[in-house]
């Protein structure tokens, strides 16, 4: 018997009617659902529909209550999860800017930034791709405990094809249940229709870390971040909720990007999102060492030659640490950059770091791997202990697509 309380906020778009199916699935699972409709939502569906489906009140008016406490405050206090589906560009904008001009937006404003929110946007493709809408989503994820279940590609009400369709109701439902499960070790992987990663949180790292020597010099490597970026772009096309942590500056994408420089910064960023992600792909080339001491000012070339040595210290192995913390339903994917004994060395890393998959690439061939637009990789898993699959030389975009297809077939299909 569930006794968790969910507030379902419905804003006005053609997908509003799909919120009825969502409410129905949640009620069948014995969750207590209270619905709030915005004025525009009521143009598409009625409060009576939700009242009937949820066996509960459906609210439309901020001042229409007969309890002592203001309605939005009481609802917030009692709720375990706030689901906003569909969320229009207008609702997202108000949410990002703290505007509270009706019952739903006032409630969102009063809702604790610690409690979970599930946001399922639906809108026309141009609206979805509008940088202001994306900036608003970024503000929301940075400030609230909000999971965004990205819209998917398909035929839209405006008779165009593109991204903007509300994610599958079944996937929104599963994500809601997953967020409600108290123990995050029970993170559920949604059962996915083919090619559909809606509801999956995917954390990807890209680029080479830079370890400062002094204010102008650093220890680094030749990773351009292209492989990681291709993975993020391809996973985004599949509808996943992406966070890309990269050493590359000023990338513009419709998903969350966090810029870092050093291994420590990368570690901090990865660890702060690891708990809530279902898939981690570490394609970043993390420096294994850093200078023991960082000089506060530029080291002069006049410095005496006998002083010119650079003691190093070890950086933490981020993936190895996370391999130990990994929960049952999380998928951990590493890359192995090897110049010799590719398969043997990659297999050792797969096992030592407790990974589900390692992508091995040869790095002494300048036509692939570091810096190139191409790669050629081998896929090794714990499941098929002695087998490796080759993805022959192709563009990094194609290689990324094939890696994700492999992950989908191997780990996500039920
Ligand atoms: O960025 P590009 O120019 O497109 O090039 C792509 C790439 C060649 C960098 C990429 O395909 C790749 O191989 N990335 C991994 C490079 C690497 O650091 O490999 P490694 O064998 O040293 O590390 C094994 C794994 O442990 C990696 O997933 C790495 O992210 C991780 N690691 C390594 C060291 C460390 N201190 N912490 C880690 O988490």
């Amino acid at each position: 018997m569930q006794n968790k309380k969910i507030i379902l906020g419905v804003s006005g778009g053609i997908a509003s009617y799909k919120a009825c199916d969502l409410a129905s699935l949640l009620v069948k699972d014995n969750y207590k659902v209270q619905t709030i409709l915005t004025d525009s939502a009521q143009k598409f569906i009625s409060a009576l529909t939700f009242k009937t489906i949820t066996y509960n009140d459906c609210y439309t008016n901020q001042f229409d209550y007969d309890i002592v406490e203001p309605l939005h405050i009481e609802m917030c206090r009692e709720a375990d999860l706030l689901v906003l589906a569909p969320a229009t560009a207008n609702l997202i904008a108000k949410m990002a800017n703290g505007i509270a001009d009706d019952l739903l937006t006032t409630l969102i404003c009063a809702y604790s930034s610690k409690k979970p929110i599930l946001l399922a946007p639906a809108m026309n493709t141009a609206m979805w791709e509008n940088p202001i809408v994306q900036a608003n989503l970024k503000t929301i994820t940075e400030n609230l405990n909000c999971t965004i279940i990205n819209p998917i590609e398909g035929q839209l009400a405006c008779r165009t094809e593109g991204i903007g369709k509300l994610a599958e109701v079944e996937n929104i439902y599963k994500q809601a249940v997953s967020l409600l499960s108290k123990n995050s070790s029970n993170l559920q992987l949604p059962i996915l229709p083919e090619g559909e990663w809606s509801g999956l949180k995917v954390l990807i790292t890209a680029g080479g870390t830079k370890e400062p020597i002094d204010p102008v010099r650093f220890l680094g490597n030749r990773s351009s971040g292209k492989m990681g970026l291709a993975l993020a772009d391809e996973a985004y096309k599949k509808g996943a909720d992406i966070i890309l942590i990269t050493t590359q500056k000023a990338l513009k994408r419709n998903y969350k990007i966090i810029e870092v420089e050093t291994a420590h910064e990368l570690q901090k960023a990865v660890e702060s999102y690891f708990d809530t992600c279902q898939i981690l792909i570490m394609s970043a080339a993390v420096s294994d060492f850093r200078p023991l001491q960082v000089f506060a000012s530029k080291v002069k070339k006049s410095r005496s030659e006998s002083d010119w040595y650079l003691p190093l210290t070890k950086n933490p192995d981020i993936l190895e640490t996370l391999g130990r913390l990994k929960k049952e339903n999380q998928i951990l994917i590493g890359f192995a950059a090897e110049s010799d004994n590719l398969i043997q060395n990659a297999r050792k890393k797969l096992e030592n770091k407790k990974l589900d998959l390692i992508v091995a690439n040869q790095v002494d061939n300048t036509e692939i791997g570091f810096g190139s637009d191409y790669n050629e990789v081998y896929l090794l898993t714990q499941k098929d202990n002695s087998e490796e699959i080759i993805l022959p030389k192709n563009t990094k975009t194609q290689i990324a697509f094939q890696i994700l297809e492999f992950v989908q077939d191997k780990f996500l299909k039920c």
Side-chain angles (χ1 to χ4, degrees):
M1 175 74 191
Q2 314 276 8
N3 50 13
K4 299 254 167 93
K5 293 188 180 148
I6 299 173
I7 301 171
L8 173 61
V10 183
S11 53
I14 190 63
S16 304
Y17 75 94
K18 294 185 182 171
C20 300
D21 287 339
L22 178 60
S24 174
L25 283 172
L26 293 166
V27 169
K28 274 190 198 138
D29 224 1
N30 291 320
Y31 290 104
K32 194 165 180 244
V33 179
Q34 285 184 305
T35 316
I36 299 177
L37 301 185
T38 63
D39 284 351
S40 329
Q42 290 174 74
K43 304 267 196 284
F44 293 91
I45 29 142
S46 85
L48 182 61
T49 319
F50 285 98
K51 229 172 153 175
T52 314
I53 290 173
T54 62
Y55 314 110
N56 211 337
D57 286 324
C58 171
Y59 299 98
T60 54
N61 185 331
Q62 189 169 1
F63 306 105
D64 183 13
Y65 58 90
D66 50 14
I67 48 177
V68 182
E69 212 172 4
L71 182 58
H72 60 284
I73 303 293
E74 170 163 319
M75 286 178 83
C76 278
R77 190 163 27 78
E78 305 246 304
D80 296 292
L81 173 69
L82 170 61
V83 179
L84 301 166
T88 58
N90 183 48
L91 183 72
I92 290 166
K94 287 182 180 174
M95 193 172 167
N97 290 286
I99 294 172
D101 63 355
D102 63 6
L103 176 57
L104 183 56
T105 50
T106 309
L107 179 137
I108 293 170
C109 227
Y111 191 79
S112 160
S113 59
K114 303 265 177 333
K115 284 200 208 180
I117 303 174
L118 178 59
L119 180 82
M123 63 197 74
N124 154 279
T125 310
M127 291 168 86
W128 172 249
E129 287 174 352
N130 184 322
I132 294 172
V133 173
Q134 290 303 321
N136 286 336
L137 286 166
K138 195 163 174 243
T139 305
I140 290 169
T141 49
E142 279 170 0
N143 292 287
L144 301 171
N145 179 10
C146 184
T147 301
I148 296 174
I149 184 156
N150 280 338
I152 54 176
E153 205 166 338
Q155 177 86 36
L156 302 174
C158 44
R159 295 193 188 159
T160 54
E161 287 262 345
I163 293 189
K165 216 171 132 105
L166 184 72
E168 294 296 339
V169 168
E170 183 87 354
N171 284 339
I172 303 175
Y173 156 75
K174 283 183 188 134
Q175 190 65 39
V177 173
S178 163
L179 287 171
L180 280 164
S181 69
K182 247 201 195 127
N183 184 348
S184 56
S185 69
N186 287 339
L187 274 177
Q188 293 297 315
L189 289 171
I191 300 163
L192 300 164
E194 204 160 349
E196 178 53 77
W197 285 34
S198 223
L200 274 181
K201 251 197 175 169
V202 182
L203 186 57
I204 299 173
T205 66
T209 60
K210 294 182 180 136
E211 309 297 332
I213 297 171
D214 66 18
V216 294
R217 304 181 180 97
F218 60 83
L219 276 185
N221 60 65
R222 291 187 293 107
S223 168
S224 61
K226 288 178 188 169
M227 191 66 244
L229 182 63
L231 284 157
D233 285 348
E234 291 306 304
Y236 177 74
K237 281 191 206 155
K238 283 178 171 292
D241 184 4
I242 309 293
I243 300 176
L244 175 67
I245 302 171
T246 177
T247 60
Q248 292 309 108
K249 301 278 173 218
L251 286 172
K252 281 225 160 96
R253 287 296 190 276
N254 286 330
Y255 48 77
K256 187 178 173 85
I257 296 183
I258 299 167
E259 289 174 9
V260 293
E261 217 167 85
T262 63
H264 263 123
E265 286 169 14
L266 190 119
Q267 179 184 32
K268 202 167 151 230
V270 172
E271 288 183 355
S272 65
Y273 291 99
F274 179 65
D275 243 12
T276 53
C277 82
Q278 281 115 346
I279 302 180
L280 168 67
I281 310 180
M282 284 283 294
S283 73
V286 184
S287 176
D288 289 316
F289 304 95
R290 67 177 187 279
L292 184 61
Q293 178 197 358
V294 180
F295 295 91
S297 48
K298 189 182 167 198
V299 180
K300 297 278 178 227
K301 83 174 168 199
S302 56
R303 199 181 167 90
S304 95
E305 247 173 60
S306 59
D307 273 356
W308 262 122
Y309 64 94
L310 194 66
L312 302 178
T313 184
K314 254 189 162 180
N315 268 333
D317 193 314
I318 304 167
L319 202 48
E320 193 172 275
T321 310
L322 296 177
R324 279 186 256 116
L325 300 175
K326 169 179 135 58
K327 290 161 200 132
E328 207 184 315
N329 282 322
Q330 284 181 308
I331 299 169
L332 234 63
I333 302 170
F335 271 70
E338 305 293 341
S339 50
D340 38 42
N341 293 331
L342 178 65
I343 303 297
Q344 291 99 308
N345 286 337
R347 200 164 281 290
K348 263 190 222 151
K349 286 178 184 168
L350 173 76
E351 275 151 28
N352 292 345
K353 300 189 187 206
K354 299 188 178 14
L355 308 177
D356 298 285
L357 168 68
I358 196 148
V359 181
N361 48 191
Q362 197 81 33
V363 290
D364 51 0
N365 174 353
T366 53
E367 287 179 13
I368 56 167
F370 279 94
S372 168
D373 286 334
Y374 296 87
N375 212 352
E376 174 173 294
V377 302
Y378 291 84
L379 307 181
L380 286 74
T381 65
Q382 307 264 7
K383 283 189 179 173
D384 302 311
N385 200 17
S386 55
E387 203 188 324
E388 63 269 347
I389 290 165
I390 182 169
L391 303 181
K393 185 179 167 186
N394 212 326
T395 60
K396 283 183 175 164
T397 303
Q398 269 307 312
I399 295 286
F401 174 76
Q402 290 169 33
I403 293 171
L404 299 185
E405 287 289 296
F406 177 84
V407 170
Q408 189 167 305
D409 284 349
K410 198 86 187 162
F411 304 110
L412 301 179
K413 280 205 175 141
C414 297

